[in-house]
Amino acid sequence: MEDLSRLLAPRLAYFAGVARTEHVTRAAQEMRVPQSTLSRAMVRLEQDLGVDLFARHGRTVSLTPAGRTFLASAERALAEVRRAAEEVRADADPATGKVAFGFLHTMGAETVPGLLHAFRADHPRIRFSLVQNYGEAMLERLRAGELDLCLTSPVPDAPDLVARRLDEQKLRLVVPADHRLAARKRIRLAEAADEIFVTLEPGYGLRRITDDLCKEAGFRPRIAFEGEEAETLRGLVAAGLGVALLPPPAVPRPGVAELTVTAPRAAREIGVAWLADRPDTPPVAAFKKFLLSRRGNLLPT
């Protein structure tokens, strides 16, 4: 395989080759480049640095003290370039590459493991870098190039992003098991107007949805606790500290009752987002195609 360091850092590679052989002609033969190209590259490098790297002795050369110092750093730099090139090549490999995938905390217990299990049935060697976060933070990492794809809610609408709706998740009003409403199966959200709520912090998609649903129901929720994780909120509800609008749990939790909200329609859309105009590596393209094929069948039933 061609040494990519010669393509990415040619003058450093040429310098290291001449330093290793102490002979321009021999180095040119080993690296399969014209001797004139190699000689000119060394002269330009010395001119740019403003120091002599070599002492010339006819057809042979030897490193000056400055050249020896520079060689140690050049070899480290070339090794790092080679390592980086090998890493990005490996990440883009269709069979064994890597996908940086972000998703909401509420999808980490059941949804995402199920998706990865199904995907790897046909792509068993593709690797994943997994990031759990709230929606806005994931979109920031997407824009920074740290993520390839993310599952989020609400589905974003921004000119620099492409987003596709995949599924919908109904929300429930979760109340303590000994609450006055606990025996109910269904409830209009307006009936909880006088309750104390526990919610996610501002900036979380579920918090925005909660605020919007309560507003639609004709009230502004009184909030006692704000958290960062839905199951923590369920624990607060079980402890009698309030009620909450939450997606279904991966595993039923004792100490709470979960009521279907009949009005307004309480649901959140789940979508996949990626950066517009960013080319996909083969592994990312394969996983994106897989996610889009799960439209309407993303969430566990």
Side-chain angles (χ1 to χ4, degrees), residues 21-32:
T21 61
E22 296 188 331
H23 199 287
V24 176
T25 302
R26 196 175 304 134
Q29 291 171 343
E30 288 186 4
M31 289 189 284
R32 298 179 181 177

Side-chain angles (χ1 to χ4, degrees), residues 98 100-103 105 129-150 152 160-161 273-275 278:
K98 185 172 71 174
F101 182 44
F103 52 92
H105 289 286
S129 172
L130 301 177
V131 174
Q132 290 179 267
N133 216 320
Y134 66 97
E136 287 301 320
M138 279 196 300
L139 297 183
E140 288 178 11
R141 297 187 70 167
L142 198 64
R143 291 183 170 104
E146 298 173 13
L147 292 176
D148 297 310
L149 301 164
C150 67
T152 188
D160 60 333
L161 300 177
W274 60 88
L275 203 58
R278 177 179 173 181

Side-chain angles (χ1 to χ4, degrees), residues 47 126 141 148 225 228:
Q47 289 174 344
I126 286 181
R141 297 187 70 167
D148 297 310
F225 296 93
E228 297 181 346

Side-chain angles (χ1 to χ4, degrees), residues 13 44 47 76 102 130 214 224:
R44 288 171 184 164
Q47 289 174 344
R76 287 195 297 271
L130 301 177
C214 290

